[in-house]
Each structure stands twice: as structure tokens, then as C-alpha cells.
Amino acid sequence: MARFIALDIHAGIGASLRDTVLVAFLDTAGCILSGRNEAVTRQLSAWLDQRYRNDRAARLLFSEERHSVAAAAMLNAVSGHALDLDDVALAGHPSVVLVPALLAESDHTGARGPALVSAYIKGYQVWADLLRRLPDPLHVKGWHPTAVLGTMGAAAALCALRNTAPDVTAHALGIAASRASGLVANFGSMTKPLHAGWAAEQAISAVDLALLGMTASMDALDGPTGLLTALSSERPPDRQTPFFETGELAISQVRPSVKKYPVCYAMHRVIDGVIGLRNRHGLRPADVERIDAHVSVTNARVLKYERPAGPLEAKFSMPFACACALAFGEVGLRHLSAETLSDPAVRGLMPRVRMQELDSQCPIEPSFAYTDRVCITLKNQTVLDSGPIRFAVGHAQLPLAPEQIEAKVLGCADPAEEAEVRALIARLRGLLGDRP
Amino acid sequence: MARFIALDIHAGIGASLRDTVLVAFLDTAGCILSGRNEAVTRQLSAWLDQRYRNDRAARLLFSEERHSVAAAAMLNAVSGHALDLDDVALAGHPSVVLVPALLAESDHTGARGPALVSAYIKGYQVWADLLRRLPDPLHVKGWHPTAVLGTMGAAAALCALRNTAPDVTAHALGIAASRASGLVANFGSMTKPLHAGWAAEQAISAVDLALLGMTASMDALDGPTGLLTALSSERPPDRQTPFFETGELAISQVRPSVKKYPVCYAMHRVIDGVIGLRNRHGLRPADVERIDAHVSVTNARVLKYERPAGPLEAKFSMPFACACALAFGEVGLRHLSAETLSDPAVRGLMPRVRMQELDSQCPIEPSFAYTDRVCITLKNQTVLDSGPIRFAVGHAQLPLAPEQIEAKVLGCADPAEEAEVRALIARLRGLLGDRP
């Protein structure tokens, strides 16, 4: 693994992969902007000021304020995960850990271009490799992959960016392995976004400590009492297959899926379906008798709020998502509000939404049905059918267009900040070598 | 659990429990002194200076130097665990996490006396309670209990000392649960002592963050995706039994066992046996034909170095331990040296030591045989038999006398520092209310 991290993979990275990584950086930047005013971000910021030495090495939340690399990476990751709007892959949220760690390091050292792209891809690879060795889903056991595998992926990405010697890399990964943790039980609390921040911070610490000469065991990952065993004591993990055996990059097989809507990913396909039918048929709330949303059994269980009491619950409410999509033609950050929840059109539509359970299964994402579907019954008894919806707009298989990505990033900030956000987008494009 | 932590338990703490906690503080202080010059301690100290804001709130390594509470607790815990000389109980090393966290907090706030004693006992209780709910040994799965349960115990102890409101305590424990980690695979590397430091640091962070208003889920410990499940996904942990059900304090059932010798605890009973026979019979190395050390199968496996190449390996070498004990009548920190390893008496004796495996089992500590035994065959073919040895001197069931504890603490420092160490012992006795 340490050898792979030291590999020069620039030559194998084509324009398409570079674009994928650029989208990951842009989307994460938008998410970081979106979470700036959340309570978890503000409280963490105060704590970091008390706790960490501030050498002003890296930018906080894309503002003029600066802090240490570790503090900036942590705060930015927490802000990026605070609203759960960040991208999804590898059973978790890879970019919200990798990108803040790499951007903070880049602020500090000036690292840019292909070095950043390669480092992201290597961190993604290590995350994917560890995940594939675990026979059962981490979520079911209580481990949050973004926290556990994020710590490892970010440590790998940082070693790549700093170009550490292979033995330092091996020790850094071993030190990081002893800190990989984070519980699914803490979903729905402020500790969930903290997981992303800790993953980034622990990765930076592990690399710093290894560079100072701290040692770990060489079997900390794959030994009989190493991380893989600890995460899968009931069924043996794959501790044998060589790393990077196929020589194929994980990211060229599964790219991160960008979330277009700031709600649980389990509703995204249905929202696309509702908006499609609305636009095609010029639907208005008063026309609609009922909405049937067909999703997998697992997703139906996750979406547990029939009558959401507030915006946090609305993120996991199918009636809210369908009603909002039908009433406004979109589900945006500004719709996650008490005003939208009490809007007469939304309130009138929510009781008309039903979930229907499907038992097919998607081979890429087993908790999902192979396809979702929406049927809208009009007051005149006409039934409008979305037909099967295989991928949400933004999914790795159905990516957002560049202007849609930019629109999402802009939508994450105040409209008054448009000029600054456009400048940030241009800066990130330049940083990643989009315009050489 | 949060309610227990808020309980006033002073009235139930008699002189014997107070003495037990005092011994834990004194012994840990000695261990902290013993590790001051280890590479892991020195390197960590440099890193803490770079990383942490220094508000000079707490003492570093009992010197005049000071740092933040978090940095001091971390450095002192790492120093205390660097030589693995610290006390043993609850499947790990409770005092080397609890004591540095409490002492750093005490330096900062002036907390003392019964408040410190109660806080230690409450942290110990939470550690014991979580341990008892897990059906299989954490070590076998790869989890290091000192790191995992230490984070929880120290968070509880700090909440007790700071007298946090029960809801803050519950959030602090939930936040800490998301950081409980540390791998057995990293034993034998510098990451092992880092585990103790991180446990203390993460506990302080969790309490600080909860006091700032950060939230965790209320089922982060015992929920279906909480810490207990994550640590025991193969066999269901006990998530039902009420906390502190019997109303009996764990520490009044099993006290920490103090290590008299700076080597693996699996050899302590045998060393006692060798020293006993040596002193009783006036043995000299030249008299001895062979030494048979009878220990459990598990302990024989842990003690893997027949011909130790250096002091770190000597800590896990039965030939070294027996030879050193016979040649010098003691096994001290100064004997873990290249000089002792190349001493002719020790080199002559080591090949004469054999391990014999026993298959009985100790109900208190299942990795141990019920009793160990040493037989020394003299050159004149006389066989001297220690008889069964149930507990090592220093074990909870066979505690060191106060003067033996003081001798250990003094032995952890340079002889030139004797006056300072005696003053430290007196200060700690005063701090814990030994002299009201």
C-alpha cells in the first residue's frame, strides 16, 4: 500500500478522471459554504481557537480567516458534512474528508494541480481497498465508514501529497489505523459531522507523528489483531489479496455521486421523478389526488418521518420531499425551513404521499431497489407514471452538467455572495489544473 | 450512567478504597517519571508544542514546565505507559489513562481530595461496566481495552470531577464513544503508549465539546448501532442490564494490580518465585543447572523471545527474567539494558531456562494459569521447588506495602532526584487527602 501511495500515477489520469476530481472539489467547496452557519460549525470553531495553536497556515471556510492545517481541515470537513449535502461513494462520504485535508495542506504548502488530483485518487483507492476486504456492511455493525475509512483514506492522500518515504507512509497508516472510529448511533446528532472533521484531523496527526519518527506495527491494517479484523471479527475479512491487485483505479470504476438535493439520498430518484412529471404535465398542487413513491424496503425504513416536526426530520421524510418537489419544482437548502413545512401547498400535499416497497436490488448500491418509480394520481383519476428511475441526477452514472454543479455551489451560499463564490470556483478550477 | 456519575459517593468510600486510589496515583506518578526520556515521550512533546495552544494550565511530567490540560494529560499518559510498568486491571491499564487526565484537571482547577478519589472510582466503574457487557475478550478481536474503554472511563471521571449536568455527561460519553479506538496490532510499537495518551486527550475533548453544546445520540453506547454492538458484532453484548445494578463499586471487588517489575505481567509470578528461592537458599548463578518456569499456554505464547536481542524484547523473555532475577535478586528498570543482557552471569543462565505449559486457568484473569511454579535444579541435582504461586507481589490480592510502593516510585527516577521524588510523593498524598 505504501508503495502504491509513492507511485507516480499522473500518466494514467485522463481528462475524465481529472474532471471527476474537480467536481469532487467544487461540490465539497459548496457543501463547506452551506454549513458555515450551522451550530456545530460555530461551536467547533470556538473550541479550535481554545485548543489549537494558530499558525495561520490554512484558510477557514474559504474566508480570509486562517488557522493551522489540522484545525482548518477539521472545521472545513465538519462544515461540509453539517447538512449532509456532500457526495456519496464507497459506503460513505469520501470527498468531505479528503478534500478539506488536501485543501488545507495545499494552502500551507502551495501544492496544486496533478499532485492534488493524484493524492485524492490515492486516498480514494485506499478507502475502496479496505472497504472491499470487509465482508459485511460497516453500517450494520455500528461503524460509520466516513469516520473509520475516512481516517485511512485521508492519511494515504496526505502521504501522497507530501511524498513521504514508504516506511513513513507505512507508519502513518498504522498510527491512523489505531484511531479509526465513529459510530452510526451518533447519526442525527452533531457528532456525525464531527466524524468527518476528526477523520481529517487524525489523518494529519498520524502523518505528522510518523514524520517525527513515531512507529506503528507493520501489520496494523492486515494483521490478526489489526484494523480489518477489529472491524470484522464475526466474518473473516480479506487480509490476503495484494493491494491494488488489478492495477485498476477504484475511482475509474465508481465515481462519487453528487447530491443534488439536501435530503437523504434514498429520496433523490423519487424527487427527480416528481419534478419530471410536474414539468412535463404542468402540474399544480391542486391537481393532485395522491402520490405513490416506490422505493426499497431498506430505504422506506430509513425514511421514518411521515409528519416531520422540523427541518432535520424533513431530510428523512418522503411526504415532505414529494410535496416540496411538486409545489416548488425543486428541493433546495432554503426549502428545509419551518416556512416551507407550514406552507399550505406542502401541508396539503404531504398526507397524499404514500411509500410503496419494492423488493428488487441494485447491484451497485444494495440498500437501493434496482429502480425507483413515482405514480401521481390526479383528481380526475388520470395516473401519471414516471416509469423506472435507475439513477438520480448527479449519480456517478448520471453526472450533473458543469453548469448544474456551479448552480449547486452558488445555491450553497447567500445570493449576495455570488461574485465571491464565482471567484472561488475559478480559483479551484485553476488549483486543480483545469486551466493550465 | 450519567446519573451515577453525578452521585455523591463520598460517604461510601472508606479508608481502604482511599488507599487503593492513592496507590494508583503514586504508582502512576512513578511510571510517568520512568518514561520521561523515552523516544515516544520526547517526540510527542515536540509535536504537542507545534499543535496545541499552551495556556500553561497543567504540569508536564511533574516538572516546572506546563501546557494545556489536554496536552499535559496526553504527554503524561504516554510517558506513564511508555515502559509498560503501570498498573493492570479491567483487561487493561486503568490508572495510566485516569490519573493523568485527573491530575491535569486538578492542576488547572485546584480540584483535590475526595473529589479526585470519587472521580477516579467513577471512571473505573464505567470502564468495568462496559467491559462486563462484552462477551468476548477485546484483545482477541484486535481492540486495545486501555484505548477503547480508557476513553470512556476518563470521560466519565472528568465529568464527575467537573460536576457536569447529567445531560452534558450523557452527550460527553456519546461523543467519546465515537472516538473509542486503538489496535492490539500496534503493541510493540510507539503507537501503544500513544493509545493511553489519546484516550486521555479524547476524553477531555469530549467533555469540552459537550460543555460547548455539542450533542451525541442518547443510544451511542447501548443502541443497536452503538459502541457495545460495534465492539461485539459477533456475539450480542449485554445492552439491557441497568448500569450499577448491584450498587457495588467495581473497585471494591477488583483493585488495580501494581507491577513490581518493568516486564510483561505474565512473568511476575515466576520472578517472585525465583527471587524467593534465591534468597531462601543463597543461590548463586554457578550453582544452577536449569530453571523450569511453569506458566499458562497463553502466557507462554506471549513470551516469545528466547534470546532477546535488546531491552524491548527482554520485556517479553522468560530466560532473561529468570536469569536476571537469579543473578541480581531483582528485575529493575536499570536491568533492561544492553549491559545486563551481555552480563556473563545472565548470558550463562539464559540457555538454562525452560518454559513448561500448564493448562489450569485463573478465574480472575483467564489468560493466566491458576498458579505458576518455578523449579530450580542445582548442579548437584537437588531440585528446589517454589510451590504454586497464586498471585504476584503487587497483585490486587497481594498488595505492595506502602514502603514498597515508595521504593518503586523512587526507582523510577534518577537517584539524584530522590529529594524531588519524595516531595512529589508527599504532594500527592496531600492532594488525595491522605493528610487532611
Side-chain angles (χ1 to χ4, degrees):
Chain A
M1 195 175 278
R3 273 191 302 277
F4 164 79
I5 292 169
L7 273 186
D8 183 345
I9 61 166
H10 294 172
I13 301 175
S16 156
L17 276 190
R18 259 199 335 268
D19 280 351
T20 297
V21 177
L22 174 63
V23 167
F25 274 72
L26 290 176
D27 184 62
T28 306
C31 296
I32 292 171
L33 294 175
S34 77
R36 286 173 293 173
N37 295 314
E38 295 302 300
V40 68
T41 311
R42 286 185 280 107
Q43 288 172 18
L44 183 69
S45 174
W47 181 76
L48 290 170
D49 275 341
Q50 292 167 20
R51 172 67 66 93
Y52 284 83
R53 239 180 100 146
N54 187 352
D55 58 5
R56 301 185 52 76
R59 263 174 243 235
L60 291 177
L61 307 172
F62 301 114
S63 73
E64 292 307 307
E65 280 186 79
R66 302 175 78 91
H67 214 300
S68 66
V69 169
M74 184 167 178
L75 187 69
N76 293 348
V78 168
S79 187
H81 203 43
L83 291 168
D84 238 316
L85 186 53
D86 50 305
D87 69 22
V88 176
L90 308 180
H93 298 267
S95 299
V96 82
V97 182
L98 297 175
V99 171
L102 292 173
L103 280 180
E105 182 75 7
S106 164
D107 281 353
H108 180 45
T109 64
R112 51 179 292 118
L116 282 179
V117 174
S118 292
Y120 178 94
I121 289 173
K122 288 172 177 176
Y124 198 93
Q125 184 74 27
V126 165
W127 185 321
D129 180 81
L130 293 173
L131 180 67
R132 139 183 103 64
R133 293 169 188 272
L134 297 167
D136 303 303
L138 285 177
H139 280 100
V140 174
K141 301 181 216 177
W143 296 112
H144 182 198
T146 301
V148 176
L149 303 176
T151 300
M152 303 309 302
L158 287 165
C159 286
L161 194 61
R162 294 192 191 180
N163 202 17
T164 49
D167 65 318
V168 172
T169 304
H171 287 300
L173 292 173
I175 295 169
S178 262
R179 303 198 79 188
S181 60
L183 300 171
V184 169
N186 274 324
F187 284 17
S189 79
M190 290 157 86
T191 299
K192 191 195 179 202
L194 288 178
H195 289 171
W198 281 322
E201 196 269 358
Q202 287 161 359
I204 293 167
S205 296
V207 182
D208 285 345
L209 290 168
L211 283 168
L212 279 172
M214 296 283 189
T215 62
S217 297
M218 287 303 98
D219 66 350
L221 287 171
D222 57 1
T225 53
L227 181 64
L228 288 169
T229 304
L231 294 175
S232 188
S233 51
E234 73 287 10
R235 284 219 286 150
D238 173 3
R239 303 195 278 118
Q240 310 302 331
T241 308
F243 179 73
F244 201 49
E245 188 185 35
T246 63
E248 206 175 346
L249 291 170
I251 198 168
S252 64
Q253 297 168 306
V254 185
R255 284 176 296 167
S257 293
V258 172
K259 286 175 88 169
K260 198 174 167 204
Y261 313 113
V263 295
C264 180
Y265 203 58
M267 303 193 288
H268 281 221
R269 300 195 290 196
V270 168
I271 296 171
D272 283 342
V274 172
I275 294 174
L277 290 174
R278 175 188 187 273
N279 294 346
R280 209 168 315 136
H281 299 280
L283 296 181
R284 290 175 312 169
D287 305 331
V288 171
E289 177 67 29
R290 60 183 277 183
I291 304 177
D292 291 283
H294 301 255
V295 296
S296 73
V297 177
T298 305
N299 284 351
R301 203 161 303 157
V302 169
L303 303 168
K304 60 183 178 180
Y305 298 104
E306 268 201 59
R307 298 289 168 270
L312 274 176
E313 293 186 3
K315 281 170 148 324
F316 296 87
S317 167
M318 186 64 93
F320 170 78
C322 290
C324 181
L326 189 77
F328 304 110
E330 52 176 324
V331 179
L333 276 173
R334 64 200 165 88
H335 297 112
L336 284 166
S337 64
E339 292 69 50
T340 305
L341 275 166
S342 60
D343 182 284
V346 172
R347 288 183 55 183
L349 281 166
M350 286 208 291
R352 299 169 185 274
V353 178
R354 296 273 179 284
M355 275 197 286
Q356 311 290 346
E357 295 181 357
L358 298 168
D359 57 10
S360 68
Q361 196 178 53
C362 170
I364 302 175
E365 185 43 81
S367 64
F368 280 67
Y370 189 77
T371 53
D372 290 349
R373 176 183 222 119
V374 189
C375 297
I376 300 182
T377 306
L378 303 183
K379 294 235 164 104
N380 66 13
Q381 298 310 311
T382 312
V383 177
L384 306 174
D385 185 343
S386 70
I389 310 169
R390 180 76 183 98
F391 297 112
V393 175
H395 187 276
Q397 305 295 328
L398 193 64
L400 293 180
E403 60 274 14
Q404 287 177 300
I405 292 282
E406 294 205 0
K408 177 179 168 182
V409 178
L410 286 164
C412 286
D414 200 288
E417 299 173 299
E418 186 177 335
E420 290 92 326
V421 177
R422 288 200 184 277
L424 169 62
I425 292 171
R427 180 168 83 74
L428 290 173
R429 286 191 186 282
L431 189 69
L432 291 178
D434 192 42
R435 295 174 193 162
Chain B
M1 197 176 277
R3 271 191 304 277
F4 165 77
I5 292 170
L7 273 186
D8 184 345
I9 60 167
H10 293 174
I13 301 175
S16 157
L17 277 191
R18 256 198 338 266
D19 279 351
T20 297
V21 177
L22 174 63
V23 167
F25 274 72
L26 290 176
D27 184 61
T28 306
C31 296
I32 292 171
L33 294 175
S34 77
R36 286 173 294 173
N37 294 315
E38 294 302 302
V40 67
T41 310
R42 286 184 283 109
Q43 289 172 18
L44 184 70
S45 174
W47 180 77
L48 290 170
D49 275 341
Q50 291 166 20
R51 173 66 68 91
Y52 284 81
R53 239 180 100 144
N54 187 352
D55 59 3
R56 302 185 52 74
R59 265 175 244 235
L60 293 178
L61 307 171
F62 300 115
S63 72
E64 291 308 307
E65 282 186 79
R66 302 174 78 91
H67 213 301
S68 66
V69 169
M74 185 168 177
L75 187 69
N76 293 347
V78 168
S79 188
H81 203 40
L83 292 169
D84 238 318
L85 186 54
D86 49 305
D87 68 24
V88 176
L90 309 179
H93 298 268
S95 299
V96 82
V97 182
L98 297 174
V99 171
L102 292 173
L103 280 181
E105 182 75 7
S106 163
D107 280 353
H108 180 46
T109 64
R112 51 178 292 121
L116 282 179
V117 174
S118 292
Y120 178 96
I121 289 173
K122 288 173 177 176
Y124 197 95
Q125 184 75 27
V126 165
W127 184 321
D129 180 80
L130 293 173
L131 180 68
R132 141 183 101 64
R133 293 169 188 273
L134 297 167
D136 303 302
L138 284 177
H139 280 99
V140 174
K141 301 181 217 177
W143 295 112
H144 182 197
T146 302
V148 175
L149 302 177
T151 300
M152 304 309 302
L158 287 165
C159 286
L161 195 60
R162 295 193 191 179
N163 202 16
T164 50
D167 65 319
V168 172
T169 303
H171 287 300
L173 292 172
I175 295 168
S178 261
R179 303 201 77 188
S181 59
L183 300 171
V184 169
N186 275 324
F187 283 18
S189 78
M190 289 155 87
T191 300
K192 192 195 179 202
L194 287 178
H195 289 170
W198 282 322
E201 197 269 357
Q202 289 162 0
I204 293 166
S205 295
V207 181
D208 285 345
L209 290 167
L211 283 167
L212 278 171
M214 297 284 190
T215 61
S217 296
M218 287 302 98
D219 65 351
L221 287 171
D222 58 1
T225 54
L227 180 65
L228 288 169
T229 304
L231 294 174
S232 188
S233 52
E234 73 287 11
R235 285 220 286 152
D238 173 3
R239 304 194 279 116
Q240 310 302 332
T241 307
F243 178 75
F244 200 50
E245 189 185 36
T246 61
E248 204 175 347
L249 291 170
I251 199 167
S252 64
Q253 296 167 307
V254 185
R255 282 176 297 167
S257 293
V258 172
K259 285 174 89 169
K260 197 175 168 202
Y261 313 113
V263 295
C264 179
Y265 203 57
M267 304 193 288
H268 281 221
R269 299 195 290 195
V270 168
I271 296 171
D272 283 342
V274 171
I275 293 174
L277 290 174
R278 175 187 188 272
N279 294 346
R280 210 167 318 136
H281 300 280
L283 295 182
R284 289 174 314 165
D287 306 331
V288 171
E289 175 69 30
R290 59 183 278 182
I291 304 178
D292 291 282
H294 302 255
V295 296
S296 73
V297 178
T298 304
N299 283 352
R301 202 160 304 157
V302 169
L303 302 169
K304 59 182 177 182
Y305 298 104
E306 268 202 58
R307 297 289 169 268
L312 274 177
E313 292 185 4
K315 281 170 144 337
F316 296 88
S317 168
M318 186 65 93
F320 170 79
C322 289
C324 182
L326 188 75
F328 304 110
E330 52 176 323
V331 180
L333 276 173
R334 65 198 164 88
H335 296 111
L336 285 165
S337 65
E339 291 70 49
T340 305
L341 276 166
S342 59
D343 184 285
V346 172
R347 287 182 56 183
L349 280 167
M350 285 207 292
R352 300 169 184 273
V353 178
R354 298 271 178 287
M355 274 196 288
Q356 312 290 347
E357 296 182 354
L358 298 169
D359 58 7
S360 69
Q361 196 177 55
C362 170
I364 302 174
E365 185 45 79
S367 64
F368 280 66
Y370 190 75
T371 53
D372 290 348
R373 175 182 223 122
V374 189
C375 297
I376 299 182
T377 307
L378 303 184
K379 293 235 164 103
N380 65 14
Q381 298 310 310
T382 312
V383 176
L384 306 174
D385 184 343
S386 71
I389 311 170
R390 181 76 185 98
F391 297 112
V393 175
H395 187 278
Q397 305 295 328
L398 193 63
L400 294 179
E403 59 275 13
Q404 286 176 301
I405 292 283
E406 294 206 1
K408 176 178 168 183
V409 178
L410 286 164
C412 286
D414 199 290
E417 300 173 300
E418 185 176 337
E420 290 93 325
V421 177
R422 288 201 184 276
L424 170 63
I425 292 172
R427 182 169 81 76
L428 290 173
R429 287 191 184 281
L431 189 69
L432 290 178
D434 193 40
R435 294 174 194 162

